[in-house]
Amino acid sequence: MVAIETTGLGKRYGAVTAVSDLSLHVTRGEIYAFLGLNGAGKTTTIRMLLGMIKPTAGEAKVLGMPIQRGRPQPWHSVGYLVEAPYAYPELSVRENLELVRRLRPGTDRQAIDRIIEQLGLTSYATRRADTLSQGNKQRLGLAKAMLHQPALLILDEPANGLDPAGIVEIRNLLTQLAQEQGVTIFMSSHLLAEVARLAHRIGIIHQGKLLQELSAAELQQQRRRRLLVQTRTPQAAQVVLANAGFAGELTANTLILHHPAALDCPDDIATLLVNAGHPPTHLAIEQEDLEQQFLRLVGIA
Amino acid sequence: MNHLTAVISTEFLKARRSKMPLLTILGFMLLPFVGGFFMIILKDPVMAQRLGIISAKAQLVGGTADWPTFLGLLAQGSALGGIVLFSFIASWVFGREYSDHTLKDLLALPTPRMTIALAKFVLIWVWSLVLVIFIYLVGLVVGRVVGLPAAPTAVFWASTARVAITAVLTIALATPVALFANIGRGYLPPMGFALLMLMLAQVVAAAGWGEYFPWAVPALYAGMAGAAYANMGSISYALVAITSLAGIAATFAWWELADQTH
């Protein structure tokens, strides 16, 4: 079953293209991360999925239904958090949730207590929303999205403003929702490290276009590695390695090798250099970090 | 609970928790006291001058200190002050969703957007009517304290009806302001629109076309330009009704159709 399906979705504002030819398939029970830099088109896409912005091209279906304004479906089964979380400042946490409950018919009163406890807001339940910390405002935003136990959660930067403990807590909560209750989670983020821990699949968007879709395993496999070699005579060592078929680049007295055989057997490289009279003083495999990988994937690095 | 009632209750809860109802009551309450002040002067201008309430050079407008004059002042105040105050209420009820960035939470719900917009209009109408009833009741107390002579019942109720109808005409004109709060995404553009309409109403009324300009109709009806101008043709009231309905329809259309990026 498909939870979100877009076909050639696009949005133009005059001469500016915010999103172009976006085709996504998010299956039910999946955690799908939509990754991109600020201004890449993530929020515009989310707003189109929620019927807040009318696409100028293509179409989108949410929970099998085309998005049509004025219809209660599929919104009964969708919870969302778009951009920064905001609440009515003079209302308490509980009152803010009560408003959402009344706007979502069929949500029982106990749902408020349940979600307050689930998101660790119990001691803030009677506090005015404008006195909450950024992290607790984020929790309140998530509580509003999850109050009615939706089948699909659309979350824009859900980890924003949370401290490390809060990030882990929300990550565990979302994982649990997907695994135990089959909730589909479509989330946007600009932090690859965060989504790598959480998402089953990742779509990378840049300048309004979907560049790549890959699974968490593929993401791991695609992380680049390189072998760093330092010797007392780097130029000579470079010649020796090149003659043996391991051409490398020399940067600041460090030889950098990308050859798969060198990465698989760095000990062979060490043996080669020792035998040629240029023993390595430093030999290490360095893996591209997620930040570098992300920048490479979007074509910036 | 009926769903529309539930949605209306959310709007009332938001308003109740804010300081706005109190501020609007305090602002509007000036009206009966100013009316009472004029009645004191009209009752005995010489004594008012002797007590220093008014300057010896003050030019007093005509009129007598009685209930029809006093309630007429309330009606005129409701027409002029009401345009500003009811517009302020409409600006706040719609504009706050943009200023507080809470609009997006109202757009992808099982509750139709039009139901939410309608609930906001209901709040504006009820809030404005309660204000008018409140200043009317305060006015009755002020009139008694000032010692206005008893008026014949029919005259008294006719004056009361004039206050009520003026208020309804003025409240009806708040709906285009709501539209401007949505288009302008905040408080300032709708208030600018309301003040512009108020100024234009003065100009158009001075030019003698006031009965065809909706924003001039409530003040003319209240007797601002004298009794001769108070009896307008049904076209004047129809224009107010059409303006009001157009404001509602355009606001609904905006909520349903406009791209919401805020």
Side-chain angles (χ1 to χ4, degrees):
Chain A
M1 282 281 275
V2 178
I4 295 175
E5 186 179 10
T6 71
T7 314
L9 198 66
K11 180 67 185 177
R12 288 178 67 87
Y13 294 99
V16 178
T17 302
V19 174
S20 170
D21 197 25
L22 185 73
S23 296
L24 290 175
H25 291 263
V26 180
T27 52
R28 294 219 181 177
E30 182 177 45
I31 301 180
Y32 188 100
F34 203 43
L35 195 70
L37 300 171
N38 292 335
K42 304 186 297 288
T43 301
T44 302
T45 304
I46 283 179
R47 283 187 182 267
M48 284 194 282
L49 290 176
L50 292 168
M52 297 177 187
I53 293 177
K54 197 173 179 183
T56 47
E59 60 175 20
K61 284 184 181 173
V62 171
L63 297 175
M65 286 174 212
I67 295 160
Q68 285 183 348
R69 292 162 188 197
R71 278 187 9 184
Q73 288 293 2
W75 312 126
H76 268 302
S77 311
V78 177
Y80 64 95
L81 171 65
V82 180
E83 291 181 290
Y86 285 96
Y88 296 103
E90 64 276 7
L91 266 60
S92 69
V93 167
R94 182 177 290 280
E95 284 170 334
N96 269 289
L97 291 168
E98 175 62 22
L99 289 191
V100 178
R101 190 190 72 78
R102 290 185 200 178
L103 294 171
R104 290 192 172 279
T107 310
D108 60 59
R109 285 179 187 277
Q110 287 72 39
I112 295 177
D113 291 325
R114 188 176 58 236
I115 201 72
I116 282 177
E117 194 186 335
Q118 198 173 14
L119 283 159
L121 286 166
T122 307
S123 50
Y124 304 98
T126 55
R127 285 263 295 267
R128 278 172 56 122
D130 59 353
T131 65
L132 296 175
S133 66
Q134 189 57 39
N136 282 329
K137 281 180 183 164
Q138 186 73 12
R139 285 168 194 267
L140 175 56
L142 289 167
K144 284 157 70 178
M146 293 158 60
L147 180 70
H148 57 298
Q149 297 182 300
L152 170 63
L153 269 172
I154 297 179
L155 305 173
D156 199 0
E157 314 270 2
N160 258 6
L162 295 173
D163 58 24
I167 291 173
V168 171
E169 197 182 320
I170 296 303
R171 188 194 305 146
N172 292 341
L173 177 63
L174 296 178
T175 307
Q176 191 185 345
L177 284 173
Q179 282 177 354
E180 294 175 14
Q181 295 173 33
V183 175
T184 309
I185 297 164
F186 181 86
M187 56 178 277
S188 77
S189 179
H190 57 266
L191 304 171
L192 184 57
E194 178 52 34
V195 301
R197 292 193 181 97
L198 182 62
H200 301 138
R201 275 200 310 142
I202 298 160
I204 295 167
I205 185 171
H206 187 56
Q207 294 178 339
K209 288 187 174 163
L210 187 67
L211 297 181
Q212 202 173 355
E213 268 186 317
L214 63 175
S215 67
E218 286 168 334
L219 180 77
Q220 185 62 29
Q221 284 163 10
Q222 287 190 10
R223 283 174 73 176
R224 283 190 179 165
R225 294 183 305 156
R226 58 188 190 169
L227 181 65
L228 306 181
V229 182
Q230 288 178 349
T231 69
R232 296 187 196 287
T233 50
Q235 284 88 359
Q238 186 181 24
V239 173
V240 168
L241 290 175
N243 290 338
F246 297 106
E249 54 186 291
L250 184 61
T251 311
N253 290 333
T254 301
L255 267 166
I256 300 170
L257 305 180
H258 296 282
H259 199 286
L263 292 165
D264 289 343
C265 302
D267 47 330
D268 288 351
I269 300 297
T271 304
L272 197 62
L273 290 172
V274 168
N275 291 342
H278 307 291
T281 55
H282 177 84
L283 191 72
I285 289 179
E286 188 184 74
Q287 190 172 37
E288 178 183 48
D289 67 23
L290 287 165
E291 193 177 74
Q292 290 167 331
Q293 186 183 13
F294 175 44
L295 293 174
R296 177 172 57 78
L297 288 170
V298 299
I300 287 181
Chain B
M1 188 160 45
N2 171 288
H3 188 48
L4 176 61
T5 316
V7 181
I8 291 170
S9 75
T10 66
E11 292 302 323
F12 275 78
L13 175 59
K14 285 187 249 179
R16 247 188 9 250
R17 286 282 181 273
S18 78
K19 294 187 179 80
M20 289 301 153
L22 182 65
L23 289 176
T24 52
I25 280 181
L26 289 176
F28 217 29
M29 221 163 65
L30 280 175
L31 188 55
F33 287 105
V34 170
F37 173 75
F38 276 114
M39 290 301 105
I40 291 171
I41 295 168
L42 286 173
K43 267 181 82 175
D44 195 344
V46 177
M47 189 187 75
Q49 280 179 357
R50 211 172 50 233
L51 292 174
I53 296 173
I54 55 168
S55 150
K57 292 175 185 169
Q59 297 285 315
L60 290 177
V61 288
T64 50
D66 55 19
W67 280 107
T69 309
F70 180 59
L71 292 176
L73 279 176
L74 285 190
Q76 290 165 26
S78 299
L80 287 183
I83 284 196
V84 176
L85 197 69
F86 305 150
S87 297
F88 178 71
I89 293 170
S91 303
W92 184 80
V93 168
F94 279 92
R96 73 159 306 174
E97 304 291 356
Y98 295 92
S99 300
D100 290 339
H101 302 273
T102 43
L103 181 77
K104 60 193 181 210
D105 292 339
L106 303 175
L107 298 175
L109 296 171
T111 301
R113 296 177 192 179
M114 274 208 265
T115 306
I116 296 172
L118 177 62
K120 287 183 176 292
F121 279 124
V122 170
L123 171 65
I124 293 165
W125 295 327
V126 172
W127 185 344
S128 304
L129 275 175
V130 166
L131 283 181
V132 174
I133 292 167
F134 184 75
I135 61 127
Y136 174 77
L137 294 175
V138 171
L140 292 185
V141 175
V142 169
R144 273 189 166 274
V145 170
V146 170
L148 296 177
T153 310
V155 173
F156 180 83
W157 284 115
S159 302
T160 297
R162 189 161 291 273
V163 175
I165 293 169
T166 304
V168 169
L169 289 170
T170 315
I171 292 167
L173 292 169
T175 62
V177 177
L179 173 66
F180 276 86
N182 287 292
I183 295 173
R185 296 171 178 173
Y187 308 116
L188 287 181
M191 285 313 293
F193 169 77
L195 292 175
L196 178 68
M197 290 302 108
L198 191 60
M199 284 195 319
L200 280 178
Q202 308 295 318
V203 175
V204 175
W209 298 99
E211 61 191 297
Y212 301 110
F213 188 66
W215 279 269
V217 170
L220 289 177
Y221 177 81
M224 202 81 183
Y229 292 93
N231 295 316
M232 292 165 285
S234 53
I235 181 76
S236 302
Y237 307 110
L239 282 172
V240 172
I242 290 166
T243 305
S244 185
L245 290 173
I248 295 170
T251 304
F252 283 173
W254 178 267
W255 272 58
E256 278 297 324
L257 303 174
D259 277 353
Q260 303 290 356
T261 55
H262 203 68

